[in-house]
Amino acid sequence: MGLNTSEYHAFYQVYIDKTDKKLSIVEGLSQQLDTVVLFYLSIAKEKHDYAYAKGKWSVKDVLLHIIDTERILAYRAMRIARQDKTPLMGFEQDDYVVHGFAEKRSMESLIEEYKSVRLATITLFASLNVDTLLSIGEASGFPISVRALGYIILGHENHHNLIIKERYL
């Protein structure tokens, strides 16, 4: 992988550490697509709206959070890859969850949205060359590379799916 810590803020290390360094971003995204769809399909319906503690997100909230975050990070990657020098603002994940209304959706609709977003992310990263992956922009007040954003998408998803396995199932 060769990802350098100068390509991302230390906040993201927890996600970077949860990636398979032997895989390219596109390989990782493609593998996750299949395994994650099967994982969410395997969760019993009575667990879809379950939260392990008061004030915590439900399984469906977590999946929608993964989808929303991937959209945002892929958008950042596209902007930086296209040499847009505009600093990109952060986002408040809890606001997205509250206004995502996952509780009103079926798990099947969330999985379909996940697949659509993931295929778009794969297409974006497959179109980028090595030099573009190394492009650096600013997001949430810190430098970040396109490559780091790809690995953060992978690790962020792994992070949350591990929490679901440990605390929800």
Side-chain angles (χ1 to χ4, degrees):
M1 171 169 95
L3 193 61
N4 187 307
T5 57
S6 66
E7 294 181 53
Y8 56 91
H9 187 271
F11 170 82
Y12 296 109
Q13 191 65 52
V14 68
Y15 304 130
I16 299 290
D17 288 344
K18 288 182 171 70
T19 61
D20 183 343
K21 307 325 186 253
K22 294 178 230 130
L23 298 177
S24 71
I25 295 167
V26 172
E27 290 168 334
L29 292 168
S30 297
Q31 282 185 12
Q32 273 185 343
L33 175 60
D34 296 330
T35 58
V36 169
V37 167
L38 291 174
F39 171 63
Y40 280 95
L41 285 172
S42 75
I43 297 173
K45 187 174 178 112
E46 59 270 10
K47 290 284 192 175
H48 293 177
D49 292 307
Y50 170 75
Y52 67 90
K54 185 171 175 46
K56 295 297 182 181
W57 299 341
S58 71
V59 171
K60 290 192 306 189
D61 287 331
V62 172
L63 180 54
L64 186 56
H65 166 70
I66 290 169
I67 294 165
D68 287 347
T69 301
E70 181 165 331
R71 270 196 173 108
I72 291 165
L73 296 179
Y75 173 72
R76 289 176 177 180
M78 188 268 305
R79 296 257 318 251
I80 295 167
R82 302 297 191 259
Q83 300 302 306
D84 184 338
K85 301 299 182 195
T86 309
L88 301 166
M89 301 301 295
F91 68 101
E92 179 47 58
Q93 65 182 12
D94 291 320
D95 292 343
Y96 278 67
V97 171
V98 168
H99 299 287
F101 307 108
E103 74 279 1
K104 297 181 184 208
R105 296 184 55 190
S106 69
M107 181 61 81
E108 292 75 18
S109 77
L110 290 166
I111 291 170
E112 285 305 308
E113 184 175 357
Y114 169 82
K115 290 191 300 190
S116 296
V117 169
R118 178 49 58 95
L119 289 171
T121 302
I122 291 169
T123 302
L124 171 66
F125 277 93
S127 75
L128 304 176
N129 64 37
V130 174
D131 291 334
T132 303
L133 288 171
L134 298 176
S135 297
I136 302 279
E138 182 183 321
S140 302
F142 297 97
I144 193 150
S145 73
V146 173
R147 176 170 64 173
L149 286 161
Y151 283 104
I152 292 165
I153 290 168
L154 289 164
H156 177 260
E157 182 170 296
N158 288 338
H159 170 79
H160 282 290
N161 292 338
L162 183 60
I163 290 172
I164 288 175
K165 289 174 186 173
E166 292 173 348
R167 299 182 189 168
Y168 290 76
L169 305 179

